[in-house]
Structure formats: structure tokens, C-alpha cells
Amino acid sequence: MNLYLGIDFGTSGARAVVIDNDATILDERRYPHEIGGQWLNCWEKALLTLLAQIPGELRGEIRAIAINGTSSTILLTDATGRPVDAPLLYNDARGSRMVERLSQVAPANHTVLSATSSLAKLLWMQELPSFAEASYLLHQADWLGFLLHGKLGISDYHNALKLGYDVEKLEYPEWLERLEIPINLPQVVTPGTPIRELRPEMAIKFGFRSDCLVCAGTTDSIAAFLASGAKLPGEAVTSLGSTLVLKLLSRTRVEDARWGIYSHRLGDLWLTGGASNTGGAVLRKFFTDDELVRLSQEIDSSQVSELDYYPLLKEGDRFPINDPHLPPKLEPRPDDPQEFLHGLLESMARIEARGYELLQQLGADKLTNVYTAGGGAANSTWTAIRQRYLKVSVVCSTNTEAAYGSALLAMGVLASGCK
């Protein structure tokens, strides 16, 4: 029996899913990140704990492993793979002052022209004293994969997109080479590509088969898309987690940094979209989980709320308005919490609809239906409101766990042509 393991490293914790050849889930595990811990220690501990928690009879049948991480979370290591400094997380904007320098070499409206892009972060890190010790840049998924297979400097073209890698020509562009970055950028392969067998000491320690392969990974949002069941141009996935992430499968590549839009390659198609800072984190600022359930049930989703918000925790959004200084709009706030929640849900639905409209205006395939992932997928009132604005079918994803998408990747979902 051949089994496949997918591991997801998200913003709140790590998850593992084991599937068989029929893509049936045989085991699921979760490990929350430790609050206030050192990130690298947290990630390594989570990885090893999840491996240990998988039942031994399953570990011995796992044929391949793939890991996803948060997009544009990077770190620098020395020649042995030892990190030389703390990582910069996906939402770290310290690279903002490097965007002007990048704009002088990168094509107009390129995805690297963002304060949170991997390349902007790398240029900022280049000025740190610790950079003198650095030999490799790795993304979160790359480093975690390295812990398993021991081969430095390998990444996938999903993670490498915001580093400036040309995912159409499958090469680093000439303009990037002109920056003369004095460390090793990753060798980039197709997500799911087998890299190397699991390190022998890891296989022995955890009881994996000696020929278990570790594959190139992906990003958390791409893994969630793979898990969703979406396969055809025009199908989309909205992730309603802490933030609002839109991804639309298209035959046309759409890329425009002015709107916070970029496209990932997915086999022969393109996964175009963007991420807004609105979402579940805003809702949880004002309501408990129990209140969200109770108040949502009291809302008449067929009625339009007159409240017009732009719900953000702090100033700044990325998509469909790309403005780091965009102010939150949460006024007027009614005394009735049900009315306030209705206004928030309605406003987020408008932002989602605006995002998909923008993608189509810029050349993406016409939206046909939307799969929903993330915690917000369970809110039927929100789903009904969103469907009213999107004017297409809105359903829950086939599977909402990004770890399941990574398990499919380990099974060879891209290599087999399943898009």
C-alpha cells in the first residue's frame, strides 16, 4: 500500500494529512504554534511532533511527503543550512524602502514591487550584519523540506514567484541577475517534484520506509486550492480565514502589482488572484465564535445592509485596493450587534465581488462558481450574502485543509495533469 503525507504550515499552526491512492484521508493531525516562541524552533518542533503523532503502521507505508508554507516567508542560512538570523514572515513589510530600488530594475507592476515580497525582504536582509554569514535564501517550505531530505537550495515555482522567478519561462530573469545578490538563490523545480529520499536517520527514528521521497512543496493558499476540488477555468476558491484570499483558475495569466494581483502557474493553467487584509481576524476583534454563530443565524441574508464598511484591523490593504495607507472604515457602528455583524459580512462580500470583477476586467476567465475554504466557509448566512453579490454558485470546498492539497501534491497531482 502506498500512502502520501501532506503537511501544512499556516499562520496559526501546522497540520498533517495522510491519504491513500484513492485520495481518501486515513489520518489527520494538528499542532498549534506556541505563542511567543522562536519561529524556527516552533516550526521544527511542530514538524517533528506531527511526524511522531502519525500512527506507526501508516508511517511505514508513506511513499512521499510534501510541505506547504506561508507565501513569502523567508530565511537565510549558512552553507550547512543553519539559519543565520530570524525569518521574516509573510506579512513583514520592512522591505518597503527597497521597493523604489526594485522599481528601477524590475518590470513595471511586477509582483516583487511590494513591501512584503520575498525579494524586497531579501534586499532588506542584505543590509543586516548577519548577512555576511549567509549562503542560501530559503522559503519556509524549502527549509522544512531540507530538514527532511538534507539537500540545500531547492524551491518550487509557487514559492519562488515573489522572489522574481519567471514562472512562464521557468528561469530567473536577467533583470534579477543585475541585482548581483551575493548568495545562492534556490534552484526552482515544479511543485511536487521528488527531491531526495528522507534522510536515513529521520527514516529510522520515525519508522518511515527507506525509499520515502520528499517532494518540492508549495504555498499554503495553493495547497488549499488543490484541496478544494476546483479544476476548470472559471472556477475559483475564496479562503475565508484571518484574511480574504481569492484565486481564480484562468487560461490567461493576469499580473498587475498596482492592484495586488499576481498569477501562479498551475500545470497548463494560471491561478490568478490576490489577498485582502479584511476577513475573520476583523470579525474576531468584535465577536466571539459563539456570538458569530448565534448572531449570523438571526440575520436575514436576503436583505441588503445599508452599512458600508471597509473592515480592517489597521490601515492598509493589498487587494482589490493596493494602498498601504487605506484607513479602516468601521463607522457608524449601530448599537445592535446583529446589525453591526450584518454590515461587516455584507461589506466583506462586496470586497470579494469587487476582487473577482477586477480579475475578469484584466483578462481572467469568466467566473463560473466559487469554492469556499477557511473558517468562514461554515457560516451559511455569509455564504448566502456572498452568493447574492457574486451571482454564481458558492459551495464549500471538497476538502478545506491545505495539508490535504499538499498530500495530493506528494501523490503527483500536478505531474499527472490533474489541475
Side-chain angles (χ1 to χ4, degrees), residues 114 116 243-245 257-260 274-279 282 310-328 347-348 351-352 354:
S114 163
T116 58
T243 58
L244 178 72
V245 182
R258 291 176 301 174
W259 306 104
S276 171
N277 292 334
T278 196
V282 179
Y310 204 104
L312 299 170
L313 287 179
K314 59 182 180 180
E315 74 171 24
D317 202 8
R318 300 168 284 170
F319 168 84
I321 300 174
N322 189 13
D323 179 359
H325 305 296
L326 183 71
S347 298
M348 290 177 185
I351 292 171
E352 180 185 3
R354 182 175 179 178

Side-chain angles (χ1 to χ4, degrees), residues 360-371:
Q360 293 168 91
Q361 289 168 8
L362 294 174
D365 276 66
K366 180 178 175 58
L367 184 69
T368 59
N369 61 288
V370 176
Y371 292 85

Side-chain angles (χ1 to χ4, degrees), residues 137-143 149 151-161 163 172 185-191 193 195 216-218:
L137 174 135
L138 298 178
H139 302 91
Q140 181 186 29
D142 307 340
W143 183 71
H149 56 63
K151 188 174 182 180
L152 268 173
I154 307 290
S155 189
D156 63 273
Y157 60 58
H158 291 157
N159 273 294
L161 175 72
L163 186 57
Y172 284 108
L185 298 183
Q187 174 191 342
V188 180
V189 299
T190 301
T193 300
I195 297 174
T218 183

Side-chain angles (χ1 to χ4, degrees), residues 193-268:
T193 300
I195 297 174
R196 184 185 274 180
E197 292 174 347
L198 190 66
R199 287 163 49 199
E201 61 269 31
M202 295 285 283
I204 293 169
K205 177 179 180 180
F206 293 102
F208 284 89
R209 50 196 286 176
S210 60
D211 62 349
C212 178
L213 292 168
V214 182
C215 303
T218 183
T219 66
D220 54 350
S221 60
I222 299 291
F225 188 93
L226 293 174
S228 71
K231 297 179 180 179
L232 302 174
E235 294 186 323
V237 173
T238 297
S239 295
L240 299 174
S242 298
T243 58
L244 178 72
V245 182
L246 277 55
K247 295 201 176 293
L248 171 62
L249 202 53
S250 174
R251 286 164 289 201
T252 304
R253 182 182 184 184
V254 178
E255 199 102 7
D256 198 326
R258 291 176 301 174
W259 306 104
I261 295 171
Y262 54 90
S263 290
H264 279 285
R265 184 172 188 147
L266 199 66
D268 298 327

